[in-house]
Amino acid sequence: MQVSEMFCRNENGKSGFNVNLMPVNKIYRHLLDNKNRYLHLYGGAGSGKSFFSAQKFILRSMLEERHRILLVRKVARTIRHSQFGLIKSLLYSSGLSEHFKINDADLRMCSLYNGNEFLSAGLDDREKLKSIFGITSIWIEEATELDYADFNQLDLRLRGRTKNYKQIILTYNPVNSFHWLNTKHFKDSFKLKTTYKDNEHIDDEYINVLNNLKEQDEEYYNIYALGEWGVLKNVIYKPFEILNAYPLCFDETIYGLDFGYNNQTALVEVNIKDNVFYLIELIYQCGLTNSDLINKMKSLQIKKGSYIYCDSAESNRIEELKRAGFNVFPADKSVKDGIDYLKTCNIKSRPENSGINKEVLSYCYKQDKDGNLFDEPIKFNDHLMDAIRYAIFSHCRKRREANIRLL
Ligand SMILES: Nc1ncnc2c1ncn2[C@@H]1O[C@H](COP(=O)(O)OP(=O)(O)O)[C@@H](O)[C@H]1O
Ligand SMILES: [Mg+2]
């Protein structure tokens, strides 16, 4: 695409970026021009917060000069599959990718058209963060992951003279009403609460999932569907300890697989050493058909002969995987026993497991409006949690049974 094609005249006859290249949800449009220092985009799941933030920063990077936009999360390695991945895919889908030099290794993007840059840093890498100068705006994704000191540190980095307005966009779900994001006062800020109803591009399946939360747990529904501040109660697991490095070899490797199409398909590798379980998130993706899944699993070089425990409700899909040469078994799906068993296990995660690390924090038991607590988890953002349970619980039960038979 020619650079000139990216611009057009708006109603006032002024030249501006052709936003038709990148349709912005109506509710966010006025924020394209919002210049407050702090722009809070919070609310329910799937409301288009992240999408809009990516769009706004791409547009600013095309229309304004001398930008160094910083993409931040608590853990640096999770940026690849969130802000960086989203901006990159939007650049491709809008035909702008050829105007950017994209450095996947460093999570940087540089505009060949005007030199503007996107840089990434996590709060877990203070040295890198300190070494980045001349920041002109910041996007903090999943801002509830940050503590107030983290935020202040970033805020201080955004000082000094810049050609254009400086803005920190904070995107988050309102998961804890006591959080500093809710309790602290921000001068020069604008807060927009959105829900899936504001996202013109959300699919019906996802709407159903969100609506179903109402019957499962009212508080959860209020947070994730209605985008209201609440407090997540009855969280099932303690967060898995996050290690930067795993052992180099393991006693055994198994896999857990939860099938999805409209929802994510989740495949987790579970490495076992000395009764400790080391998780690797391999697939967490919507829209995979069985043949897509088989191709992906082949390219991931799943260890031949390793047990893969799958969602047993999908016998056709299991059969197809078996025919493709995978060592698949229906999982033991006893939810309560499985969860109780996993609570006794020593499970480790790593920073790259961004889906796992996020799901575990919001994986909760159901509680109805009268306060009755159930043994079942809320069916939402639970695909990786299921896959992990399928692998560990089914395998350990299989091992226990094998031992009993040997006696
Ligand atoms: N402007 C848009 N154009 C096309 N699709 C969009 C747009 N905004 C959101 N979506 C779709 O809606 C989904 C949810 O949006 P997202 O920004 O991830 O929500 P949130 O960050 O609020 O949870 C995205 O994965 C994308 O498929
Ligand atoms: Mg988001």
Side-chain angles (χ1 to χ4, degrees):
M1 185 196 297
Q2 297 297 311
V3 171
S4 58
E5 288 173 43
M6 295 188 292
F7 296 90
C8 66
R9 294 203 176 279
N10 60 24
E11 305 91 72
N12 317 326
K14 271 172 72 181
S15 178
F17 187 82
N18 181 0
V19 283
N20 293 330
L21 289 173
M22 222 183 265
V24 175
N25 273 313
K26 219 186 251 144
I27 191 155
Y28 295 104
R29 270 181 218 156
H30 68 288
L31 296 179
L32 287 172
D33 298 318
N34 174 284
K35 296 191 169 102
N36 287 109
R37 180 171 175 95
Y38 310 104
L39 177 56
H40 292 243
L41 302 179
Y42 76 102
S47 68
K49 303 179 287 298
S50 304
F51 221 86
F52 171 73
S53 309
Q55 290 176 319
K56 178 162 186 180
F57 281 125
I58 292 173
L59 294 183
R60 289 194 68 189
S61 78
M62 297 306 299
L63 293 173
E64 301 171 356
E65 287 179 344
R66 306 231 184 113
H67 264 305
R68 300 194 90 201
I69 296 164
L70 183 65
L71 311 176
V72 185
R73 280 192 66 167
K74 181 84 181 174
V75 177
R77 277 179 272 188
T78 56
I79 299 171
R80 179 179 306 281
H81 298 294
S82 53
Q83 295 114 302
F84 182 82
L86 187 53
I87 291 176
K88 189 174 147 182
S89 81
L90 274 173
L91 289 177
Y92 276 96
S93 63
S94 56
L96 294 174
S97 59
E98 64 201 71
H99 297 288
F100 281 82
K101 182 164 182 272
I102 299 177
N103 180 336
D104 283 294
D106 255 6
L107 305 181
R108 284 169 94 111
M109 287 175 265
C110 180
S111 165
L112 301 168
Y113 164 61
N114 57 19
N116 284 337
E117 279 184 292
F118 287 97
L119 308 149
S120 308
L123 284 144
D124 56 339
D125 191 352
R126 308 234 162 221
E127 290 309 308
K128 178 168 180 196
L129 202 54
K130 268 197 236 152
S131 71
I132 298 176
F133 287 98
I135 300 163
T136 58
S137 276
I138 302 178
W139 175 11
I140 309 175
E141 171 79 318
E142 306 288 357
T144 45
E145 292 173 347
L146 270 61
D147 51 40
Y148 193 51
D150 288 336
F151 170 73
N152 270 327
Q153 192 199 343
L154 290 170
D155 199 19
L156 286 170
R157 301 298 311 276
L158 195 63
R159 298 274 170 216
R161 267 183 168 291
T162 47
K163 188 157 192 256
N164 304 288
Y165 69 96
K166 297 186 270 294
Q167 185 163 64
I168 301 182
I169 299 189
L170 303 123
T171 42
Y172 53 92
N173 297 119
V175 288
N176 179 357
S177 49
F178 301 106
H179 199 279
W180 58 267
L181 280 162
N182 192 33
T183 56
K184 295 273 182 206
H185 176 68
F186 291 82
K187 259 203 275 168
D188 190 10
S189 72
F190 187 88
K191 292 189 176 185
L192 179 73
K193 182 179 98 172
T194 50
T195 73
Y196 69 92
K197 293 177 192 150
D198 302 307
N199 181 356
E200 297 143 45
H201 305 274
I202 197 87
D203 59 85
D204 292 344
E205 178 89 8
Y206 199 69
I207 295 175
N208 281 338
V209 170
L210 289 171
N211 282 332
N212 280 335
L213 291 176
K214 198 174 169 68
E215 273 86 66
Q216 301 189 58
D217 189 290
E218 194 119 1
E219 181 84 344
Y220 214 86
Y221 175 77
N222 287 340
I223 296 173
Y224 286 103
L226 304 183
E228 283 164 12
W229 281 103
V231 176
L232 281 182
K233 288 176 300 193
N234 315 315
V235 178
I236 298 176
Y237 300 129
K238 280 198 289 229
F240 306 134
E241 188 191 350
I242 296 181
L243 303 180
N244 283 320
Y246 280 174
L248 293 176
C249 52
F250 299 102
D251 304 333
E252 214 176 347
T253 297
I254 55 172
Y255 299 87
L257 174 60
D258 188 39
F259 296 110
Y261 180 73
N262 292 317
N263 290 315
Q264 286 95 344
T265 292
L267 177 67
V268 179
E269 180 175 308
V270 182
N271 294 292
I272 312 172
K273 188 178 171 68
D274 301 329
N275 277 325
V276 180
F277 300 90
Y278 299 88
L279 307 177
I280 296 183
E281 184 178 317
L282 293 178
I283 300 178
Y284 189 46
Q285 198 180 327
C286 297
L288 288 184
T289 63
N290 226 25
S291 58
D292 295 335
L293 176 62
I294 288 170
N295 288 335
K296 242 181 149 41
M297 285 172 70
K298 284 185 177 155
S299 72
L300 287 166
Q301 297 176 325
I302 303 289
K303 295 187 180 107
K304 281 268 171 243
S306 292
Y307 290 97
I308 306 171
Y309 296 96
C310 313
D311 183 350
S312 55
E314 304 257 6
S315 52
N316 294 349
R317 297 188 71 170
I318 296 183
E319 185 55 36
E320 273 180 55
L321 287 176
K322 198 178 274 175
R323 289 185 195 176
F326 293 105
N327 199 20
V328 281
F329 294 90
D332 184 324
K333 288 186 69 172
S334 353
V335 181
K336 182 184 176 315
D337 291 350
I339 287 176
D340 288 345
Y341 184 75
L342 260 73
K343 282 183 182 175
T344 68
C345 296
N346 189 353
I347 302 175
K348 309 289 187 200
S349 184
R350 55 177 200 163
E352 293 92 328
N353 297 340
S354 54
I356 293 177
N357 300 339
K358 187 172 175 192
E359 273 194 11
V360 74
L361 297 178
S362 63
Y363 190 50
C364 298
Y365 288 117
K366 292 179 189 174
Q367 185 169 24
D368 69 14
K369 5 184 208 314
D370 305 321
N372 300 312
L373 192 60
F374 295 86
D375 268 340
E376 299 156 50
I378 298 168
K379 291 206 162 307
F380 186 66
N381 284 348
D382 55 352
H383 307 292
L384 290 158
M385 294 298 108
D386 282 347
I388 295 166
R389 180 166 48 80
Y390 295 161
I392 297 179
F393 183 58
S394 312
H395 195 64
C396 294
R397 184 162 265 189
K398 206 182 194 79
R399 269 203 317 216
R400 273 198 310 278
E401 282 166 5
N403 284 342
I404 290 163
R405 258 183 256 126
L406 288 175
L407 292 175

